[in-house]
Structure formats: C-alpha cells, structure tokens
Amino acid sequence: MSVPSRESFSHLVNGAATGPTDLVEPRGSRLDDWWGRLLSTPGRRRLWYWGGPILVTLLAAVLRLWNLGTPHALVFDETFYVKDAWTLLHHGYESAWPPEADTDFNAGRVDGFLTDPSYVVHPPLGKWIIALGLAVFGATDSVGWRISTAILGTLAVLLLTLIARKLLASTFLAVVAGFLFAIDGHAIVMSRVAILDNSLMFFALLGFGFILADRGWHEARLTARTAERRSAGAAPEWGPVIWWRPWLVAAGVAFGLAAGVKWSGFYFLAAFGLYLIVVDALARRRLGLPAWFSASVLTQGPVTFLLLVPISLLTYLSSWIGWFVTDNGYYRHWAEQPGNAWTGPFSWVPSVWQSFLFYQQSIYNFHVGLAAPHPYSANPLGWLAMIRPTSMWYASPVTGDDGCQLAPCSQAITSIANPLIWWAAVAATLYLVYRLIRRREWTVGLILTGAAAGYLPWLMYTERTVFQFYTIAFEPYLILALTFVIGLIIGRRNDPQYERTRGLGVTGVFLALAALLSAFWYPLWSATTVPFWFWQLHSWLPTWV
C-alpha cells in the first residue's frame, strides 16, 4: 500500500476532492439556501433587521391589548394600585378610601376617595405610570386602568429583542427571543393587570441593556488608553481610570426607576454594580496589567460607584416628589410631632427628611415582617418549578351571560407561564450555570447576573408572603438563556448538513409546540369565557387550581 502524499493530506483536510470517488460533506441546509436568496439584497436585509423585531412586537401588542378591559372589575392587587393611582392624580399623594370602595369603583362611582393619607408600602412611580392611563381614559374605563401596563409590557418585548440581537449577534435569535416573550402567558397576564411588577421588569431590563452597551464602550476605551500609554513608553501598572461612561449613567437612572416602582429594583443595582467590578478586573487582566485586581477595586471601582449609585438614588428620590411637595402624605409630619424629632448630632436634619427616612424604615419593617397567610402564597424555592401560579381573578358566568352558552362556565386570569417555555427556560438557565463554570463566556455571565439579581435575593425571605408572579422581574433573562441554548442547537451556517437540518427542525418543532400551548392557555390569561371542563383541562398539577 502506498503512502499518501503530503498534497493528498492537504486536499483531505481542506475538503477538496482528490478523485471522482471522493465526497465532500455538504454544509448548511436547504432552509439556509432559501433564506440566503431571500435576503440577497441590502434592502431586504435592512427590512429583516427591523421588520423582525417589529413583527414580534406587534404580536405582543395584540395579545396584550385584545379585550383588555375585561373584566370591568379590580382584580387582585389592582384594588390597591389603581385606586392609589387615581388619588395620586387628584392629591399628589395616595389617599385613603372608605370600606368596600371596590364595589363603587367597579360601578363607575370613582370619586369616593378621602383626603386622609393612605399607608402605602411601595414607592409611587409604578402608580404614577398607571395614572397616565387613567388621565387619558378616565377611571370609569377599565382599559384606562391597565393600558399603561400593557404598553410597557409590549415595549419590553421590543427591548428584549434588541438586547438579544446585540448580545447574541443574530437577528434571527433576537426574533426568537421576542417571540417567546410575546407569547408567554406570565408575561401576557402581567401586562394585562394594573399591578407594579411589570413596570419593575421593564426598567430593570432597560438597565440591563445599558449595562450591555457599557461593556463594549468601557472595554474599547480601556484598551485604547492602555495602548496609548504603552506607545508613549509608560509601563502602566494599574491602567487608566475611565470616567466618561454615559451608558453606565443611563443604567443608574434605569435601576433607580426600577427601585422607584418596587424596592427589589435595588437588587439589580447591587448585582450589576458587582458585575461591573468583575468585568473591569477581567478586562485589565486580559490587557496584561499587573495590578488588575487592585485597579478594579481601588481606582476604577470608586468611579464606577459614583457614576452608577448616586444617580440611582436621586432617581429613586424623584419618584417621591409628590410626597415632598404636598402636605398630607402619610408620615409627612411625623418628625414635627412631640418626641419624634431626632436629637444629638443629627438634630440639624430638616424635619421633612427625618419624616421621610422614618417612613422608609417603616416600609422596610413591613416587608421583612410580612407573613400573613394567603391561598396563593408561593415559596421562592418553588418558583422555578412553577408550583403555585397566582390566580388573579375567577368568575362563573351563568347561561346567557358573558357568552356562556351552557353553564357551568369559567372566566379566569391566571398568571401561569406557558409551561413548555418556562420549564425549558429554567433548564436552559441551569445549563448556563454549568457552562459558565466550564467556559467562562461573558454572554453567559451577563445573562445569569440578570437572573440572579431577580431571583436569589428572595431566597432570604422564604418565610415571607410572596407570590409566583414576582418572577416576571427575571423572566426576560430566562428567555435569553433559552434563546442562547436554541442558538447552540441550531448551530452555524457552515455546520454539517445533517446537524444543521436537525437543529433547525428541533427548533421549529419547539416553537410550534410553544405557540400551540399559548393558544390553548390564552383564554385563561385573558378572562375569556370557556366551558368549565375546558378550564379543568389546564389543571395539570393539583397546585395550579
């Protein structure tokens, strides 16, 4: 047997044919070929670049806005936030209502509020957002109660799509991420009820996007400044300090807005503050700076803090402007009452600030001590398994009412996620934890930081009364994790044909099943009248009822 020549090995390695019987393994798929022909011109590529995100955003809008005014009744915590928002418009602070005010409010008698302040345990921004819809539609129209939340939920789909494209460098994967978020039931329901968590999710996701933008901005300038110093003959030990980071300032504003909706927005501020220190340290180490860790903590770290945290706190404080400029908010004059004013070295602090800080302390004590029983309380340890989703509203129309053809009928708003999307996203997130340990990819680390910021702090409060719908704050990062794994399954355009075709096929089947499940569950997300037996078909677990 003759030994192949060096040229023969070269042809084999490079995939070139060496004879009529040699075969070259085909690459890509027929779908890739068709897609390439479809986007063969710059104009078509631009159309896809923007058209894809816009299409999934329009889909999200339809699913969130259709039949938005049903039911014309305050559901779940709308009883607090809609009425608080209405009094904010009139008084500038949240004022109290007489007992059993919901009945009157549902009937259109919306002016029964009092001038006495109401004790509220969440900052005002989320309620001001709800108030925008009330200002346009009025409080007698239930669409006005929910329209602001629905718009933010729709914009969140667009925002996630744009973030996914920058993070994963693929418009197709970005559209997949947006599609999954658009059709997921938890995201749909949280956009269709006027409570605070959807606004918290939106502003936290906005901050995440700004952190993503800052990462490239900071690294490029750090690299350029270090190269300049070296070219000038200097031997930088610590590296430069980067002050001009506008995306970081924008992130501080976004996280401050999130905290202005709910205090859990501060978890995102803290998590990404630590993330920025780690990312800066790793960037300096890659540049070969000897004191990379010390520089990140002792020089760039304080600057990062100054660019991020003060603006967040100022933004948070601005959400309380109505409390400051009016005269009747809760605890507004606490420090002026006998025996309450501070003494000693802090007695100089203005009474309004003493009152404000006392109020904040009261809110903190309320939250950490909240342990009232509730039928839909869900331990955070079970959130990822989706053991106890929240039933926001349920009704049993009689025959002839609300489209009920033959009783018994059901109407429900259940904030349960699409089970296939949710469980697959959780599995993908757990895989990303393993992948981060093995490969240390920055994209994986960023996604997991968002998920950790929204979930892990709640594990400190397993005895508190909390709910499954709080998970909307970190659901976008579960969707990003799932999309990342879908990208791995699909592979690349130049992968072997069998692998590429199989990956595209598996993804297509998954997306089709997810869409079918969303169609199956949508009536229970949108208060659509269905037969009772159809409602029972959705009780896959006993705890879902």
Side-chain angles (χ1 to χ4, degrees), residues 10-91:
S10 176
H11 284 301
L12 289 171
V13 171
N14 293 323
T18 60
T21 61
D22 292 324
L23 298 177
V24 177
E25 185 176 14
R27 301 278 171 171
S29 68
R30 293 181 179 179
L31 183 60
D32 288 312
D33 297 336
W34 172 79
W35 192 249
R37 291 192 298 271
L38 187 65
L39 301 184
S40 58
T41 66
R44 292 180 179 180
R45 288 192 289 272
R46 284 194 299 271
L47 181 62
W48 166 241
Y49 187 86
W50 292 110
I54 290 173
L55 281 176
V56 293
T57 304
L58 290 175
L59 173 63
V62 171
L63 296 176
R64 285 151 178 78
L65 296 174
W66 179 82
N67 203 31
L68 182 63
T70 301
H72 186 80
L74 297 169
V75 305
F76 206 71
D77 281 352
E78 284 185 341
T79 183
F80 304 116
Y81 305 133
V82 172
K83 292 186 303 195
D84 283 345
W86 187 233
T87 60
L88 277 173
L89 278 178
H90 287 80
H91 294 151

Side-chain angles (χ1 to χ4, degrees), residues 126 179 207 295 301 348 419 510 536:
F179 175 74
W348 57 270
F510 175 83
Q536 288 181 306

